[in-house]
PDB file of all heavy atoms in Angstrom:
ATOM      1  N   GLY A  14      -7.867   2.341 -23.989  1.00 87.00           N
ATOM      2  CA  GLY A  14      -8.707   3.195 -24.831  1.00 87.00           C
ATOM      3  C   GLY A  14      -7.901   4.218 -25.595  1.00 87.00           C
ATOM      4  O   GLY A  14      -8.151   4.468 -26.791  1.00 87.00           O
ATOM      5  N   LEU A  51      -3.410  -5.778 -19.712  1.00 86.00           N
ATOM      6  CA  LEU A  51      -2.448  -4.835 -20.280  1.00 86.00           C
ATOM      7  C   LEU A  51      -1.172  -4.898 -19.455  1.00 86.00           C
ATOM      8  O   LEU A  51      -1.209  -4.717 -18.239  1.00 86.00           O
ATOM      9  CB  LEU A  51      -3.017  -3.421 -20.249  1.00 86.00           C
ATOM     10  CG  LEU A  51      -2.077  -2.299 -20.714  1.00 86.00           C
ATOM     11  CD1 LEU A  51      -1.784  -2.433 -22.210  1.00 86.00           C
ATOM     12  CD2 LEU A  51      -2.659  -0.933 -20.393  1.00 86.00           C
ATOM     13  N   ALA A  59       3.501  -0.448 -27.709  1.00 95.00           N
ATOM     14  CA  ALA A  59       2.610   0.545 -28.312  1.00 95.00           C
ATOM     15  C   ALA A  59       3.345   1.853 -28.558  1.00 95.00           C
ATOM     16  O   ALA A  59       3.171   2.493 -29.610  1.00 95.00           O
ATOM     17  CB  ALA A  59       1.398   0.769 -27.406  1.00 95.00           C
ATOM     18  N   PHE A  69       2.798   6.668 -23.572  1.00 86.00           N
ATOM     19  CA  PHE A  69       1.933   5.818 -22.748  1.00 86.00           C
ATOM     20  C   PHE A  69       2.662   5.275 -21.519  1.00 86.00           C
ATOM     21  O   PHE A  69       2.056   5.123 -20.459  1.00 86.00           O
ATOM     22  CB  PHE A  69       1.354   4.686 -23.596  1.00 86.00           C
ATOM     23  CG  PHE A  69       0.375   5.166 -24.625  1.00 86.00           C
ATOM     24  CD1 PHE A  69       0.599   4.954 -25.976  1.00 86.00           C
ATOM     25  CD2 PHE A  69      -0.754   5.867 -24.244  1.00 86.00           C
ATOM     26  CE1 PHE A  69      -0.301   5.427 -26.919  1.00 86.00           C
ATOM     27  CE2 PHE A  69      -1.659   6.345 -25.180  1.00 86.00           C
ATOM     28  CZ  PHE A  69      -1.429   6.129 -26.526  1.00 86.00           C
ATOM     29  N   LEU A  86       7.600  -4.717  -9.690  1.00 75.00           N
ATOM     30  CA  LEU A  86       6.300  -5.262 -10.060  1.00 75.00           C
ATOM     31  C   LEU A  86       6.449  -6.384 -11.078  1.00 75.00           C
ATOM     32  O   LEU A  86       5.728  -7.384 -11.033  1.00 75.00           O
ATOM     33  CB  LEU A  86       5.397  -4.165 -10.634  1.00 75.00           C
ATOM     34  CG  LEU A  86       4.779  -3.182  -9.643  1.00 75.00           C
ATOM     35  CD1 LEU A  86       3.891  -2.199 -10.381  1.00 75.00           C
ATOM     36  CD2 LEU A  86       4.004  -3.887  -8.556  1.00 75.00           C
ATOM     37  N   ALA A  92       6.617 -14.185  -9.964  1.00 90.00           N
ATOM     38  CA  ALA A  92       7.390 -14.980  -9.007  1.00 90.00           C
ATOM     39  C   ALA A  92       6.670 -16.274  -8.638  1.00 90.00           C
ATOM     40  O   ALA A  92       5.447 -16.345  -8.599  1.00 90.00           O
ATOM     41  CB  ALA A  92       7.664 -14.163  -7.747  1.00 90.00           C
ATOM     42  N   LEU A  95       7.716 -15.630  -2.918  1.00 97.00           N
ATOM     43  CA  LEU A  95       7.937 -14.260  -2.472  1.00 97.00           C
ATOM     44  C   LEU A  95       8.255 -14.267  -0.986  1.00 97.00           C
ATOM     45  O   LEU A  95       7.628 -14.993  -0.209  1.00 97.00           O
ATOM     46  CB  LEU A  95       6.703 -13.393  -2.719  1.00 97.00           C
ATOM     47  CG  LEU A  95       6.395 -13.001  -4.167  1.00 97.00           C
ATOM     48  CD1 LEU A  95       4.997 -12.394  -4.250  1.00 97.00           C
ATOM     49  CD2 LEU A  95       7.434 -12.032  -4.697  1.00 97.00           C
ATOM     50  N   HIS A 111      -8.524   0.368   3.462  1.00 94.00           N
ATOM     51  CA  HIS A 111      -8.518   1.486   4.418  1.00 94.00           C
ATOM     52  C   HIS A 111      -7.118   1.714   4.988  1.00 94.00           C
ATOM     53  O   HIS A 111      -6.690   2.864   5.145  1.00 94.00           O
ATOM     54  CB  HIS A 111      -9.508   1.208   5.558  1.00 94.00           C
ATOM     55  CG  HIS A 111     -10.941   1.274   5.140  1.00 94.00           C
ATOM     56  ND1 HIS A 111     -11.448   2.311   4.390  1.00 94.00           N
ATOM     57  CD2 HIS A 111     -11.980   0.428   5.357  1.00 94.00           C
ATOM     58  CE1 HIS A 111     -12.739   2.096   4.169  1.00 94.00           C
ATOM     59  NE2 HIS A 111     -13.080   0.958   4.740  1.00 94.00           N
ATOM     60  N   ARG A 114      -4.885   3.282   2.266  1.00 93.00           N
ATOM     61  CA  ARG A 114      -5.209   4.701   2.061  1.00 93.00           C
ATOM     62  C   ARG A 114      -4.633   5.552   3.194  1.00 93.00           C
ATOM     63  O   ARG A 114      -4.093   6.637   2.953  1.00 93.00           O
ATOM     64  CB  ARG A 114      -6.720   4.865   1.963  1.00 93.00           C
ATOM     65  CG  ARG A 114      -7.151   6.300   1.664  1.00 93.00           C
ATOM     66  CD  ARG A 114      -8.674   6.404   1.494  1.00 93.00           C
ATOM     67  NE  ARG A 114      -9.082   5.742   0.248  1.00 93.00           N
ATOM     68  CZ  ARG A 114      -9.761   4.588   0.220  1.00 93.00           C
ATOM     69  NH1 ARG A 114     -10.095   3.967   1.364  1.00 93.00           N
ATOM     70  NH2 ARG A 114     -10.113   4.053  -0.936  1.00 93.00           N
ATOM     71  N   SER A 137      -4.993  -3.964  -6.716  1.00 78.00           N
ATOM     72  CA  SER A 137      -4.886  -4.776  -7.929  1.00 78.00           C
ATOM     73  C   SER A 137      -3.718  -5.744  -7.835  1.00 78.00           C
ATOM     74  O   SER A 137      -3.817  -6.899  -8.276  1.00 78.00           O
ATOM     75  CB  SER A 137      -4.725  -3.868  -9.150  1.00 78.00           C
ATOM     76  OG  SER A 137      -4.569  -4.609 -10.336  1.00 78.00           O
ATOM     77  N   GLY A 168      -9.983   1.243  14.704  1.00 88.00           N
ATOM     78  CA  GLY A 168     -10.844   0.445  13.845  1.00 88.00           C
ATOM     79  C   GLY A 168     -10.140  -0.027  12.590  1.00 88.00           C
ATOM     80  O   GLY A 168     -10.342  -1.164  12.136  1.00 88.00           O
ATOM     81  N   LEU A 177      -5.288  -9.970   8.081  1.00 96.00           N
ATOM     82  CA  LEU A 177      -4.062 -10.769   8.171  1.00 96.00           C
ATOM     83  C   LEU A 177      -4.373 -12.179   8.661  1.00 96.00           C
ATOM     84  O   LEU A 177      -3.822 -13.164   8.151  1.00 96.00           O
ATOM     85  CB  LEU A 177      -3.056 -10.103   9.105  1.00 96.00           C
ATOM     86  CG  LEU A 177      -2.321  -8.866   8.594  1.00 96.00           C
ATOM     87  CD1 LEU A 177      -1.463  -8.271   9.711  1.00 96.00           C
ATOM     88  CD2 LEU A 177      -1.442  -9.210   7.400  1.00 96.00           C
ATOM     89  N   LEU A 201      15.821  -4.609  11.668  1.00 80.00           N
ATOM     90  CA  LEU A 201      15.434  -3.251  12.023  1.00 80.00           C
ATOM     91  C   LEU A 201      16.148  -2.210  11.176  1.00 80.00           C
ATOM     92  O   LEU A 201      15.809  -1.029  11.218  1.00 80.00           O
ATOM     93  CB  LEU A 201      15.703  -3.003  13.518  1.00 80.00           C
ATOM     94  CG  LEU A 201      14.827  -3.834  14.465  1.00 80.00           C
ATOM     95  CD1 LEU A 201      15.219  -3.589  15.909  1.00 80.00           C
ATOM     96  CD2 LEU A 201      13.355  -3.521  14.252  1.00 80.00           C
ATOM     97  N   GLY A 213      14.134 -19.971 -11.407  1.00 92.00           N
ATOM     98  CA  GLY A 213      14.838 -20.288 -10.173  1.00 92.00           C
ATOM     99  C   GLY A 213      15.786 -19.211  -9.700  1.00 92.00           C
ATOM    100  O   GLY A 213      16.535 -19.425  -8.745  1.00 92.00           O
ATOM    101  N   ASN A 221      13.238   2.776   0.252  1.00 78.00           N
ATOM    102  CA  ASN A 221      13.671   3.804   1.189  1.00 78.00           C
ATOM    103  C   ASN A 221      12.791   5.037   1.032  1.00 78.00           C
ATOM    104  O   ASN A 221      11.810   5.027   0.286  1.00 78.00           O
ATOM    105  CB  ASN A 221      15.158   4.150   0.970  1.00 78.00           C
ATOM    106  CG  ASN A 221      15.441   4.570  -0.468  1.00 78.00           C
ATOM    107  OD1 ASN A 221      14.840   5.514  -0.974  1.00 78.00           O
ATOM    108  ND2 ASN A 221      16.342   3.854  -1.133  1.00 78.00           N
ATOM    109  N   ARG A 251       4.192 -20.272  12.540  1.00 94.00           N
ATOM    110  CA  ARG A 251       2.959 -19.830  11.886  1.00 94.00           C
ATOM    111  C   ARG A 251       1.758 -19.799  12.836  1.00 94.00           C
ATOM    112  O   ARG A 251       1.054 -18.797  12.941  1.00 94.00           O
ATOM    113  CB  ARG A 251       2.677 -20.753  10.697  1.00 94.00           C
ATOM    114  CG  ARG A 251       1.549 -20.297   9.796  1.00 94.00           C
ATOM    115  CD  ARG A 251       1.362 -21.268   8.647  1.00 94.00           C
ATOM    116  NE  ARG A 251       0.469 -20.759   7.617  1.00 94.00           N
ATOM    117  CZ  ARG A 251       0.103 -21.452   6.560  1.00 94.00           C
ATOM    118  NH1 ARG A 251       0.557 -22.684   6.393  1.00 94.00           N
ATOM    119  NH2 ARG A 251      -0.718 -20.929   5.658  1.00 94.00           N
ATOM    120  N   GLN A 253       1.580 -19.908  16.144  1.00 96.00           N
ATOM    121  CA  GLN A 253       1.760 -18.982  17.262  1.00 96.00           C
ATOM    122  C   GLN A 253       1.610 -17.536  16.791  1.00 96.00           C
ATOM    123  O   GLN A 253       1.125 -16.673  17.528  1.00 96.00           O
ATOM    124  CB  GLN A 253       3.127 -19.195  17.913  1.00 96.00           C
ATOM    125  CG  GLN A 253       3.246 -20.507  18.664  1.00 96.00           C
ATOM    126  CD  GLN A 253       4.611 -20.664  19.322  1.00 96.00           C
ATOM    127  OE1 GLN A 253       5.213 -19.693  19.760  1.00 96.00           O
ATOM    128  NE2 GLN A 253       5.088 -21.897  19.378  1.00 96.00           N
ATOM    129  N   GLU A 260      -4.758 -11.963  19.426  1.00 93.00           N
ATOM    130  CA  GLU A 260      -4.641 -11.187  20.668  1.00 93.00           C
ATOM    131  C   GLU A 260      -4.597  -9.696  20.356  1.00 93.00           C
ATOM    132  O   GLU A 260      -5.277  -8.885  21.000  1.00 93.00           O
ATOM    133  CB  GLU A 260      -3.370 -11.601  21.416  1.00 93.00           C
ATOM    134  CG  GLU A 260      -3.105 -10.771  22.661  1.00 93.00           C
ATOM    135  CD  GLU A 260      -1.696 -10.989  23.200  1.00 93.00           C
ATOM    136  OE1 GLU A 260      -1.143 -12.095  23.013  1.00 93.00           O
ATOM    137  OE2 GLU A 260      -1.161 -10.039  23.790  1.00 93.00           O
TER     138      GLU A 260
END
Side-chain angles (χ1 to χ4, degrees):
L51 175 67
F69 292 120
L86 284 182
L95 287 168
H111 290 312
R114 183 177 290 109
S137 178
L177 286 175
L201 294 176
N221 56 57
R251 189 179 191 184
Q253 290 181 34
E260 175 193 331

